[in-house]
Amino acid sequence: MADHQLWYDVPAEIWTDALPLGNGRLGAMVFGGIASERIQINEDTFWSGGPYRPVNEDAYDHLELVRQAIFEGRYAEAQQLASAHLMAKPIKQMSYQPIGDLMLTFNHGAAAVDYRRSLDLDAAIAFCSYEVGGVTFRREAFTASADGVLVLKVSASVPGALSMRIGLSSPQAGLVRSGDAGRFYISGRGKSEQGVDAALTFAVGARVTTKGGTATFVDGDISVEAADEVLIFLDAGTSFKRFDDVSGDPAALVEARLSAALARTFEDLRERHMAEHRRLYRALAIDLGSSEAADLPTDQRIANFAHADDPALAALYVQYGRYLIISSSRPGTQPANLQGIWNEELDPPWGSKYTANINLQMNYWLPAPANLAECLEPLVAMAEDLAETGRETARVHYRARGWVLHHNTDLWRATAPIDGPQWGLWPTGGVWLMVQLLETCDYLDDAEGMRRRLYPLAQGAARFILDVLVPLPGTSYLVTNPSLSPENVHPQGASICAGPAMDNQILRDFFTLLRPLAVAAGDDELLASIDATLPRLAPDRIGAAGQLQEWLEDWDMQAPEMDHRHVSHLYGVYPSWQINLTHTPSLAAAARKSLEIRGDDATGWGIGWRLNLWARLQDGDHAHEVLKLLLSPERSYKNLFDAHPPFQIDGNFGGAAGILEMLVQSSPSELHLLPALPSAWPKGKISGVRVRGGNTLDLTWKDGVPTVIKLVARRANRLHLRFAGVHQTIDLRADEARQLTFTGAAFI
């Protein structure tokens, strides 16, 4: 299936050339070398430090002083005071860690020809093949979705042609090694950080079986001589059980999974793996057309995309995003972090954590429309953890009820403000997380069941925010203070402020989504608080330059970074629906002006957000120009990982979501077909895309016009279908499949 492959005619030279595998828990980066092969391993619970609570008992005593300084316009002073007294202790959180490397060294005596390596997204298998001295060598690797371990098969076209040395290592200190001719292990303890002692122990184990030849244990490695075929099974684990429990036995877990895998044949493991992966991956298909460019290696396609006709690369990018979320976020695993589950550095950029002022949320824009609702489960489970740990931060830092998350968290679910007030003193991370999850419910089969699960969490987030909103002097408004517009500096020499536009927009969404749930729960106290608070949130404002204001004050045109990567005040356009062309045209025009001022070029994830914004503004050709920026060597590595730079996976997820947003927009009021279709994609087809009401949509178009529309309802619902200026209401019964055609004036 060429439409589902990344492929290359040279081995990976650096980590961002390598090809990612993952089963949600176990991640691998496959380099495809010739003289040697490196497979770099991650395990999703392997982080530095251990259970800790970075609250600051000094914070509350200085909170009012900071608020007063902000209200009086002494912003730089307020930021200095906040830095000294309001931040977490320690000031940094823990980091996601690499756990090991599997190394294979081959005894090839001649140069290789006919080299090819590839990643089959549909099978979730990485391949590598080449010829040396008339012998074809082949490798295939997968992280078994059904059985949990990495499986690597090495074979040769001539019997007895395989000789290699197999090694297992880790960048972590204090390793213990053991093994014999068929198995070997490394184990140790993780890394201490920021004064928090390492609490996690870990184990990495491998089993080796050969067909023909011999295998011996030599100096901690396994040496294979004259084999026909070699199978390697690898697993890793840690002692992590929960953010407050590290009592697990990683060696026992690894041994159990490896033993279970060895009880099956390679063919059985492979088939079980592909079936489980395809259960999710094949839920959506997309075809935007093809061209000769689709036959080129993937790195060449990226280099050429801006000036070549290659719509199939955009479709591949969507499926790659889906592949990555399937590979890094499955029920029972940790959520996808800043790098999914792939990281080779002991000190990764931004700790490879969870940044909740855009990046964590962007990681999860894709699953609902991409028909991967199952991949949302780790985010829901994280929110349940944060509602526990965030209570202490709310109490200690604010004397507030409920729970809070600031702009970052980690495996240990730390929630206090970190890094510095110019980034971290933002109290609405938890509220945004709840908005996103509540908004997603409408796409699910069991929307009400998920809302019931989320309601206690949302209730706690509401109690916090209701306790910390304060009156804006001289007005009837209630505002967050201290806060900031992530992570931008305003012209008063600080980031810290009161009531930035993004906070007001998020809170409007939050209370609007929460209100009917409070009614259903009979929560009269919360309902009364919502009704008293919602009208007192400051409305969006249009500045003198015609832009949507980022702050309460008209500061935008004097801000130091006019091209700032964040477009926080445009949250109301995307992912929210508060600002749109139909119902708020003047605000939409102001948002467009702000977007023009910011510019299209940004970091990788910043471009991904801009892509969605231009799609929401229904400018398909401009959105396509933004996509060209994203799919360029400056913003996409050779393996299609998003280049912030450095690598951050949110750009992959945001970009893939943006392409879907160009084709289908499912708002609370309507289902809009082809709202931002660029002229570059005049015909195409998408099937399996999820929309509100729990419906699944298949859509075919030609000459920019829908030709076939198929809707499958999971539950009874009414939707308002739209294309261009044609609107039509359709009632669907539970489990009904309805096929429609567009006549130019109606859907029939």
Side-chain angles (χ1 to χ4, degrees):
M1 299 178 70
D3 292 344
H4 298 267
Q5 286 204 10
L6 282 65
W7 76 274
Y8 308 84
D9 53 12
V10 293
E13 294 183 1
I14 59 176
W15 189 82
T16 48
D17 295 346
L19 296 172
L21 300 172
N23 58 22
R25 180 188 64 84
L26 191 68
M29 294 291 285
V30 183
F31 282 67
I34 298 171
S36 64
E37 169 68 283
R38 177 191 179 197
I39 300 181
Q40 186 263 320
I41 306 298
N42 289 101
E43 205 274 352
D44 73 331
T45 65
F46 192 47
W47 290 63
S48 63
Y52 75 115
R53 290 293 164 264
V55 296
N56 181 355
E57 298 287 350
D58 188 40
Y60 182 73
D61 289 341
H62 294 83
L63 178 61
E64 286 303 323
L65 295 175
V66 172
R67 282 176 174 162
Q68 182 179 355
I70 290 171
F71 280 146
E72 292 176 359
R74 296 180 283 115
Y75 298 100
E77 180 185 338
Q79 193 155 295
Q80 291 172 357
L81 189 62
S83 181
H85 297 286
L86 300 192
M87 306 309 292
K89 293 183 179 180
I91 194 66
K92 300 285 187 182
Q93 290 175 349
M94 304 301 106
S95 60
Y96 183 54
Q97 293 289 298
I99 204 167
D101 291 273
L102 176 68
M103 298 294 299
L104 281 62
T105 306
F106 299 95
N107 187 21
H108 294 322
V113 296
D114 293 334
Y115 178 89
R116 181 183 174 111
R117 67 185 174 101
S118 62
L119 174 62
D120 185 333
L121 303 181
D122 179 64
I125 298 176
F127 297 92
C128 175
S129 65
Y130 52 89
E131 183 181 317
V132 177
V135 180
T136 299
F137 295 89
R138 180 178 172 86
R139 300 195 289 270
E140 57 181 297
F142 55 90
T143 45
S145 299
D147 295 280
V149 303
L150 171 75
V151 182
L152 172 64
K153 178 181 179 181
V154 187
S155 59
S157 62
V158 175
L162 277 178
S163 294
M164 69 182 78
R165 194 170 181 113
I166 306 169
L168 198 60
S169 65
S170 173
Q172 304 296 326
L175 296 180
V176 176
R177 298 177 180 273
S178 60
D180 56 39
R183 69 183 72 195
F184 55 158
Y185 294 90
I186 55 175
S187 59
R189 185 172 293 275
K191 171 187 169 186
S192 299
E193 192 161 358
Q194 299 294 317
V196 179
D197 291 338
L200 288 175
T201 57
F202 72 92
V204 183
R207 300 278 194 96
V208 178
T209 66
T210 63
K211 181 179 179 181
T214 61
T216 55
F217 191 64
V218 180
D219 297 330
D221 293 344
I222 292 178
S223 178
V224 175
E225 298 292 336
D228 306 338
E229 178 183 290
V230 176
L231 289 179
I232 303 171
F233 304 84
L234 181 143
D235 190 28
T238 79
S239 58
F240 179 86
K241 285 189 169 183
R242 214 175 93 100
F243 63 84
D244 56 0
D245 184 350
V246 293
S247 64
D249 185 343
L253 292 170
V254 168
E255 178 64 22
R257 285 190 290 260
L258 287 174
S259 296
L262 263 80
R264 298 183 179 276
T265 66
F266 172 79
E267 290 74 20
D268 186 28
L269 289 167
R270 191 177 190 271
E271 289 302 314
R272 283 164 53 84
H273 160 70
M274 289 192 297
E276 170 57 19
H277 172 72
R278 286 170 174 168
R279 179 180 66 83
L280 295 175
Y281 183 80
R282 290 189 172 181
L284 182 142
I286 179 171
D287 179 1
L288 299 174
S290 191
S291 66
E292 292 181 358
D295 297 327
L296 295 173
T298 304
D299 53 340
Q300 294 182 34
R301 296 175 72 183
I302 295 168
N304 296 338
F305 185 76
H307 53 269
D309 176 25
D310 192 3
L313 184 59
L316 181 69
Y317 196 78
V318 171
Q319 293 291 31
Y320 188 54
R322 297 181 70 252
Y323 169 86
L324 292 174
I325 197 68
I326 292 169
S327 301
S328 61
S329 185
R330 301 287 292 268
T333 74
Q334 296 300 307
N337 62 46
L338 278 175
Q339 297 182 175
I341 52 169
W342 300 280
N343 166 49
E344 70 165 347
E345 299 184 41
L346 291 170
D347 186 17
W350 302 283
S352 193
K353 303 191 301 294
Y354 302 99
T355 303
N357 65 11
I358 176 58
N359 313 98
L360 174 60
Q361 288 84 351
M362 187 180 286
N363 277 4
Y364 287 90
W365 287 349
L366 184 62
N371 211 347
L372 294 172
E374 190 173 305
C375 296
L376 288 161
E377 172 59 29
L379 188 64
V380 178
M382 171 184 267
E384 291 171 331
D385 289 348
L386 293 168
E388 292 187 51
T389 60
R391 279 198 296 268
E392 184 179 10
T393 305
R395 177 183 59 80
V396 173
H397 281 244
Y398 297 94
R399 299 293 189 268
R401 302 169 298 164
W403 64 278
V404 60
L405 168 65
H406 291 83
H407 96 300
N408 248 291
T409 191
D410 55 15
L411 180 73
W412 312 109
R413 305 308 190 241
T415 60
I418 63 160
D419 295 340
Q422 63 269 45
W423 304 288
L425 200 56
W426 183 68
T428 45
V431 177
W432 188 0
L433 183 57
M434 295 316 304
V435 169
Q436 181 150 337
L437 291 173
L438 289 171
E439 174 79 5
T440 299
C441 290
D442 208 20
Y443 291 79
L444 307 181
D445 287 351
D446 185 12
E448 292 309 312
M450 181 57 77
R451 288 188 182 105
R452 286 193 296 272
R453 180 178 173 185
L454 293 173
Y455 182 68
L457 315 181
Q459 188 182 48
R463 285 173 176 156
F464 167 76
I465 208 70
L466 289 166
D467 282 357
V468 301
L469 286 170
V470 292
L472 178 66
T475 76
S476 62
Y477 298 137
L478 294 172
V479 294
T480 49
N481 181 12
S483 188
L484 53 95
S485 185
E487 299 172 6
N488 204 2
V489 177
H490 55 67
Q492 306 305 309
S495 295
I496 201 167
C497 67
M502 186 188 215
D503 284 9
N504 298 322
Q505 293 168 357
I506 288 173
L507 293 179
R508 271 194 293 275
D509 273 352
F510 180 52
F511 289 133
T512 300
L513 288 164
L514 187 57
R515 191 183 190 284
L517 305 187
V519 171
D523 193 338
D524 294 337
E525 179 185 354
L526 180 58
L527 181 61
S529 296
I530 291 172
D531 287 344
T533 303
L534 191 52
R536 296 183 64 188
L537 298 174
D540 289 307
R541 298 177 175 185
I542 299 174
Q547 89 287 2
L548 192 70
Q549 289 185 194
E550 186 163 0
W551 298 275
L552 289 171
E553 297 81 0
D554 192 358
W555 287 338
D556 300 64
M557 304 309 294
Q558 291 81 44
E561 291 186 67
M562 299 295 287
D563 59 350
H564 197 266
R565 61 196 178 279
H566 285 258
V567 281
S568 302
H569 55 311
L570 304 186
Y571 163 94
V573 179
Y574 185 95
S576 178
W577 287 96
Q578 289 176 45
I579 300 173
N580 59 79
L581 292 169
T582 302
H583 299 106
T584 57
S586 61
L587 290 176
R592 184 184 181 103
K593 180 67 174 179
S594 289
L595 201 50
E596 291 168 348
I597 293 168
R598 269 295 199 269
D600 293 334
D601 199 6
T603 57
W605 64 263
I607 295 173
W609 196 352
R610 285 157 171 79
L611 176 62
N612 282 276
L613 289 163
W614 283 110
R616 281 283 172 90
L617 294 173
Q618 299 176 23
D619 192 332
D621 285 333
H622 197 134
H624 192 259
E625 291 300 311
V626 174
L627 180 61
K628 289 179 182 179
L629 294 174
L630 187 62
L631 280 172
S632 70
E634 290 73 31
R635 291 295 179 261
S636 289
Y637 292 112
K638 291 180 180 179
N639 66 0
L640 267 181
F641 271 173
D642 170 66
H644 181 292
F647 164 51
Q648 272 191 204
I649 204 167
D650 37 26
N652 288 103
F653 296 140
I659 293 169
L660 294 184
E661 200 70 23
M662 294 165 72
L663 303 176
V664 179
Q665 292 181 11
S666 183
S667 78
S669 60
E670 65 182 14
L671 174 57
H672 192 172
L673 306 180
L674 307 177
L677 185 71
S679 55
W681 305 337
K683 64 178 181 178
K685 180 179 181 180
I686 186 166
S687 60
V689 66
R690 271 289 181 130
V691 298
R692 292 173 191 271
N695 300 319
T696 304
L697 169 70
D698 297 351
L699 173 64
T700 303
W701 67 94
K702 183 178 180 181
D703 298 326
V705 177
T707 55
V708 180
I709 304 109
K710 181 180 178 182
L711 289 158
V712 178
R714 297 297 189 270
R715 57 183 186 273
N717 68 101
R718 169 174 288 183
L719 62 84
H720 303 282
L721 196 60
R722 174 186 171 192
F723 172 71
V726 177
H727 301 253
Q728 193 165 319
T729 299
I730 297 174
D731 290 307
L732 296 168
R733 301 184 304 274
D735 299 319
E736 179 185 2
R738 179 89 62 90
Q739 184 162 309
L740 305 165
T741 59
F742 181 67
T743 67
F747 301 98
I748 60 171

